[in-house]
Amino acid sequence: MAELGNVQQLKAMLQRLGAGEDLASVREDFVKEFKDVPVKDIMAAEQELIKDGADPRKITKLCDLHSALFHGKTEGEAIREQKRMKKQDLLQLPEGHPVDYFIRENSALELILNNLQMALENGGHDDKVQLAMVRLKKIRALYGKKEELIMAPLERYGITGPSEVMWGVDDEIKAEVGRLSRGLQRTSAEELKEPILAVIKRMREMIYKDENILLPIAMQNLTDDEWVDVYRDLPEMGPVFITEIPKWAHGEQVLMERMQAEKSAAEAEDMKTSASGADFEQAVVHFDGNGSESPAGEMTIAQLRGLMKILPLDITFIDDQMINRFYKNGDKVFSRPLSTLGQSTYQCHPVPIRAVVKNLTDDFRSGARDSFTRWIPNPDRPVKVTYLAVRDKEGTYLGAAEIIQDMTEAFRQFRSMEAASMKEEALKAARTQPGQP
């Protein structure tokens, strides 16, 4: 339990920073009062500010200042201390544990940051800078794992600071990396040197926060079963900066035991079904619609399962209580960890987006709208996302479906057909010119 007096003192210092007081002045008082600060007290102080009505987005903006206040060291000193702490902590961590995995990813990320900074400071290495920035765009996957697999479970324990503050900083870093990567296609690395160095500093700072705040708090709160769930879901987005996800012997053993238990339960259910003379897979579902506005005909459960498996779509169903109930995620446009099934869909979204999710759901529930479509114009992978209200025959709201379509091939086909059509039109125009055969 965080010491109440410590938390209140820290909270007052954070308020002073928020009011615009100079960091050096606040830090002078901090050093007088504290030799050391437990991470739980830091998080508790930020959460107290949020409970008092502080805008999480403002705290997000101050997050780097907060960290500077607490560790108060130069970047080089912080990194050296972080490595010493990391070495000590890893002695207690088995290979392949999710925390071990995240530390390995951060170490690989540090190497990229070091090489990028060296290329920038030596000058004349546009190709190296561009290559490093392309690699850094994969930070989305690493931050996504951290947000969905670590921050979301912590929220269920009432620890909202990471999702309300750190997630917002993650989003800013992801956006800035994307912007700078695109900028390098139009200008030189020298022109963008300062903003790239700034984002490198923020990414180093985030590594420090992950390993000295977020992951220690997670280790204090998550159960062994929850860590096994995290381990099971790590491959959903694959390795990011390392080449492969290390095996965790304990996690593998627990997952094997779970699989055997599920198999035994399924076999027992099959025997029960067979004994009753009913074959659930052959049960028929009737659709009494007209085929255009609603489904028509009939299918067995086995046929429905087969159809869902091959549909070229990623589908999520959220019930009327905003709980994630179903995923079909073959294309993996976005990650869908199994651990989020049965959990609130709000925890899968950053705090600033949750109001948008709620407003859309309220419109679906009230009947104000039945669908909403948004396009993600990613040049590497354009995506169409459609949200649909799901209702029963009487029109009662049952929940919402999210349909995700990778449009890469469609765009390629349309561009190809458009180019062929333009070429044909140009040939026709040339033939109609005077003197042409």
Side-chain angles (χ1 to χ4, degrees), residues 79-184:
I79 290 171
R80 284 194 294 274
E81 179 181 337
Q82 172 188 329
K83 288 179 178 177
R84 286 196 299 272
M85 292 175 65
K86 185 187 302 181
K87 187 174 181 180
Q88 293 171 357
D89 291 343
L90 279 174
L91 293 176
Q92 307 300 320
L93 276 175
E95 181 179 359
H97 184 284
V99 173
D100 173 51
Y101 162 78
F102 279 108
I103 290 175
R104 287 171 185 247
E105 287 281 18
N106 280 341
S107 296
L109 170 59
E110 281 184 312
L111 288 176
I112 298 172
L113 296 177
N114 291 343
N115 291 335
L116 174 57
Q117 185 164 345
M118 190 181 304
L120 283 167
E121 291 175 348
N122 290 341
H125 294 286
D126 280 18
D127 54 341
K128 292 183 180 179
V129 172
Q130 288 175 347
L131 179 61
M133 289 300 294
V134 168
R135 293 182 69 192
L136 283 184
K137 286 168 69 176
K138 294 168 66 178
I139 196 66
R140 288 183 170 275
L142 183 58
Y143 283 178
K145 288 188 178 190
K146 175 181 69 173
E147 291 152 4
E148 295 188 24
L149 301 180
I150 304 295
M151 293 184 184
L154 285 177
E155 274 203 67
R156 298 197 283 275
Y157 287 98
I159 301 171
T160 60
S163 56
E164 291 180 316
V165 179
M166 294 175 72
W167 199 326
V169 177
D170 285 350
D171 285 345
E172 291 174 359
I173 292 172
K174 288 183 285 189
E176 184 67 358
V177 168
R179 186 186 72 80
L180 291 170
S181 183
R182 292 190 297 273
L184 286 171

Side-chain angles (χ1 to χ4, degrees), residues 7 140 164 181 235 300 323 341 371 434:
V7 172
R140 288 183 170 275
E164 291 180 316
S181 183
T300 65
I323 302 299
L341 284 173
S371 65

Side-chain angles (χ1 to χ4, degrees), residues 148-357:
E148 295 188 24
L149 301 180
I150 304 295
M151 293 184 184
L154 285 177
E155 274 203 67
R156 298 197 283 275
Y157 287 98
I159 301 171
T160 60
S163 56
E164 291 180 316
V165 179
M166 294 175 72
W167 199 326
V169 177
D170 285 350
D171 285 345
E172 291 174 359
I173 292 172
K174 288 183 285 189
E176 184 67 358
V177 168
R179 186 186 72 80
L180 291 170
S181 183
R182 292 190 297 273
L184 286 171
Q185 297 174 8
R186 301 186 297 271
T187 189
S188 69
E190 184 62 31
E191 288 288 324
L192 295 176
K193 178 179 177 179
E194 292 308 315
I196 293 175
L197 287 174
V199 82
I200 289 174
K201 182 178 179 181
R202 294 199 79 187
M203 294 176 86
R204 292 191 196 280
E205 193 69 44
M206 185 53 71
I207 291 172
Y208 181 92
K209 294 167 191 168
D210 285 347
E211 297 184 1
N212 293 277
I213 298 177
L214 178 66
L215 293 175
I217 286 178
M219 291 187 72
Q220 291 169 10
N221 287 275
L222 268 58
T223 66
D224 183 69
D225 273 347
E226 287 172 320
W227 281 120
V228 172
D229 287 344
V230 174
Y231 174 71
R232 176 200 62 200
D233 288 338
L234 283 176
E236 172 70 12
M237 286 177 276
V240 183
F241 298 114
I242 61 178
T243 56
E244 61 180 358
I245 297 172
K247 295 292 184 184
W248 179 27
H250 172 67
E252 291 290 327
Q253 179 182 345
V254 173
L255 290 175
M256 179 63 71
E257 290 170 357
R258 286 185 188 178
M259 186 175 70
Q260 290 171 345
E262 290 167 3
K263 182 180 179 182
S264 297
E267 289 173 350
E269 186 62 30
D270 287 345
M271 290 177 64
K272 181 180 175 182
T273 300
S274 178
S276 67
D279 186 348
F280 179 74
E281 289 295 305
Q282 295 308 311
V284 176
V285 178
H286 298 276
F287 301 95
D288 55 0
N290 59 16
S292 56
E293 296 177 359
S294 56
E298 61 184 36
M299 299 180 76
T300 65
I301 296 296
Q303 290 167 340
L304 275 174
R305 288 187 198 277
L307 177 62
M308 291 300 295
K309 185 176 180 180
I310 65 169
L311 281 175
L313 305 165
D314 287 354
I315 303 171
T316 301
F317 176 71
I318 304 107
D319 72 12
D320 62 331
Q321 300 302 309
M322 296 301 292
I323 302 299
N324 296 322
R325 292 297 179 194
F326 171 85
Y327 294 147
K328 182 220 172 275
N329 201 38
D331 283 346
K332 296 184 184 295
V333 176
F334 302 128
S335 66
R336 290 291 183 266
L338 286 175
S339 56
T340 58
L341 284 173
Q343 304 298 332
S344 169
T345 193
Y346 290 119
Q347 293 173 354
C348 300
H349 296 84
V351 172
I353 302 298
R354 294 180 187 182
V356 176
V357 175

Side-chain angles (χ1 to χ4, degrees), residues 360-425:
L360 180 59
T361 303
D362 288 346
D363 282 353
F364 282 175
R365 197 184 302 276
S366 69
R369 69 168 97 186
D370 289 319
S371 65
F372 176 74
T373 299
R374 69 186 181 101
W375 293 86
I376 302 176
N378 184 332
D380 299 322
R381 195 179 195 184
V383 173
K384 178 184 180 182
V385 185
T386 306
Y387 303 93
L388 301 165
V390 181
R391 309 185 193 280
D392 65 14
K393 290 189 292 186
E394 284 71 39
T396 303
Y397 180 70
L398 301 176
E402 179 188 58
I403 313 295
I404 300 170
Q405 295 171 268
D406 181 345
M407 304 301 291
T408 306
E409 180 60 20
F411 275 43
R412 191 188 71 78
Q413 291 287 350
F414 286 137
R415 289 192 185 106
S416 177
M417 289 188 290
E418 183 179 37
S421 177
M422 291 175 65
K423 182 177 180 180
E424 185 177 345
E425 290 295 325

